[in-house]
Amino acid sequence: MDMSEIDTSAAARLKTGVVMDPIAGIKTYKDSSFAMLLEAQRRGHELYYMEPDDLFAKDGRVFAGMQRLEVRDNSTDWFSLEPLGSQPLDELNIVLMRRDPPFDMNYIYATYMLELAEKAGTLVINRPQSLRDANEKFFINNFPQCCVPMIISSRSARLREFVSQHGHCVVKPLDGMGGESVFQVSEGDMNLNVILETITQHDTRAVMAQKYIDEITSGDKRILVVNGEPVPYALARFAGKGDFRGNLAKGGSSKGVPLSERDRWIVSQVAPELKKRGILFAGLDVIGDWLSEVNVTSPTCIRELDKEFGLNIAGQLFDAAEEVLQ
């Protein structure tokens, strides 16, 4: 469909922008940002595309080098762009912040800019301050009743002591995603010292260590929470051959499963804080009976769950967003 064929007759048409990594490189069959864009377009929203480096602040207002976007649910021809030049971000009704980690200073600067648009009336999903405050690993410290023993420290000696106490642990950085630099360690492991030296960059970078959860063999469940309400099915992700990480990005497999009573209890503990912080869309990672992460930057698994169970999770998200805008 040519850009000129897009219906612009709706008087109250919403304008939805997305800040994301290059759309040309996504895998449409499993990309949750793409699911959101398809749903927004289906509702008649005008779509605008930006990459993080397109954002800039000038004289107290944030702008972006925007492009009009059209999306198609086609694995070989899924988008068209029309350059528009620099436009004020606060002229959009909704901005989806969907840039993947690493959560570095450039990411933080982007949230500062998005916050200027938010103050001018644009709904940013998720709230920029909460993206900064709710680090996906550290945030679970707010819910210790849901978690296995854990420690966050930059000191290798403290981390070794924790491993000695709990025997079998997982160590991971606080700013990564997709299973990057996640190590399984045990007391007596000859590689323990070098792993801790490497991951802490010689005691200069804080990392997380958690007691290993044996139930990982039954899957690492991703539970999606939309405006404080759980999607009734989770995506259980299983490690690929020769690996222990249940990340699809690392070659794992997946299947949908109904939420258990314990899953729903964990959501009940976390959801009020998500709503309070303006986090409309989150992904809780649950292994066995335990919460391991709360993902707020660019949670995934919409397309897999939609396909398996006939859901429209992005539809739930935009119902919530449109309600906020009323």
Side-chain angles (χ1 to χ4, degrees):
M1 181 168 61
D2 185 77
M3 284 288 186
S4 62
E5 298 175 2
I6 297 176
D7 178 21
T8 57
S9 61
R13 183 182 296 276
L14 293 176
K15 296 180 177 181
T16 293
V18 62
V19 179
M20 62 185 289
D21 297 305
I23 193 169
I26 67 173
K27 295 180 172 63
T28 58
Y29 67 92
K30 66 173 187 175
D31 193 279
S32 291
S33 302
F34 188 66
M36 294 176 188
L37 293 169
L38 287 170
E39 175 62 18
Q41 182 172 275
R42 187 191 68 78
R43 290 172 178 243
H45 295 200
E46 294 178 4
L47 298 184
Y48 297 85
Y49 169 80
M50 296 152 277
E51 294 178 17
D53 289 342
D54 292 324
L55 299 174
F56 66 98
K58 184 179 179 183
D59 300 327
R61 197 177 187 191
V62 65
F63 299 81
M66 293 187 196
Q67 300 183 70
R68 277 292 307 274
L69 171 66
E70 178 201 338
V71 289
R72 298 172 288 278
D73 200 359
N74 182 315
S75 62
T76 59
D77 175 29
W78 60 89
F79 72 100
S80 299
L81 294 171
E82 177 187 305
L84 298 175
S86 299
Q87 304 289 329
L89 203 64
D90 56 33
E91 291 185 357
L92 303 180
N93 303 101
I94 300 168
V95 172
L96 304 168
M97 175 49 161
R98 294 288 301 174
R99 195 201 113 174
D100 287 339
F103 192 88
D104 53 16
M105 284 308 301
N106 283 334
Y107 194 106
I108 291 174
Y109 295 144
T111 68
Y112 290 155
M113 291 191 243
L114 291 170
E115 202 163 32
L116 290 175
E118 181 185 54
K119 289 177 179 176
T122 298
L123 174 62
V124 181
I125 303 173
N126 287 309
R127 182 179 293 164
Q129 179 180 346
S130 295
L131 291 175
R132 293 194 299 271
D133 292 349
N135 175 274
E136 299 181 322
K137 276 73 172 178
F138 197 97
F139 191 51
I140 64 173
N141 281 276
N142 291 283
F143 317 103
Q145 71 276 23
C146 302
C147 305
V148 295
M150 61 186 162
I151 186 173
I152 293 173
S153 176
S154 61
R155 299 295 190 189
S156 297
R158 288 196 183 98
L159 296 166
R160 276 195 300 272
E161 182 181 357
F162 182 86
V163 173
S164 177
Q165 180 182 358
H166 295 286
H168 193 186
C169 298
V170 168
V171 183
K172 53 190 172 182
L174 298 177
D175 59 354
M177 64 167 288
E180 286 293 331
S181 300
V182 177
F183 293 91
Q184 185 181 159
V185 297
S186 298
E187 185 181 17
D189 187 338
M190 294 295 291
N191 290 311
L192 178 59
N193 286 341
V194 71
I195 288 171
L196 295 180
E197 288 169 6
T198 301
I199 198 170
T200 66
Q201 296 179 3
H202 295 277
D203 289 11
T204 63
R205 182 176 72 164
V207 301
M208 169 180 275
Q210 293 168 296
K211 181 180 178 181
Y212 182 82
I213 304 170
D214 291 329
E215 290 86 350
I216 187 66
T217 55
S218 299
D220 179 354
K221 289 181 287 188
R222 167 62 56 82
I223 301 172
L224 296 179
V225 181
V226 181
N227 197 26
E229 295 296 323
V231 173
Y233 301 94
L235 193 71
R237 298 160 297 173
F238 303 89
K241 185 177 181 180
D243 207 335
F244 72 96
R245 298 166 296 178
N247 300 90
L248 301 184
K250 299 303 177 188
S253 59
S254 66
K255 72 173 182 179
V257 295
L259 296 192
S260 68
E261 201 171 305
R262 172 73 176 187
D263 293 335
R264 292 182 180 276
W265 177 81
I266 290 173
V267 173
S268 76
Q269 301 299 296
V270 178
E273 189 66 22
L274 296 176
K275 291 199 72 171
K276 177 178 147 184
R277 293 173 181 257
I279 298 172
L280 286 184
F281 185 61
L284 278 55
D285 288 349
V286 173
I287 302 172
D289 287 338
W290 308 105
L291 177 68
S292 65
E293 290 186 17
V294 177
N295 296 271
V296 301
T297 51
S298 53
T300 59
C301 300
I302 286 180
R303 300 221 79 185
E304 295 93 334
L305 289 170
D306 278 357
K307 181 179 180 181
E308 189 165 349
F309 298 106
L311 305 174
N312 182 7
I313 298 167
Q316 295 175 245
L317 176 62
F318 278 101
D319 284 346
E322 291 173 5
E323 184 177 341
V324 171
L325 291 172
Q326 289 177 0

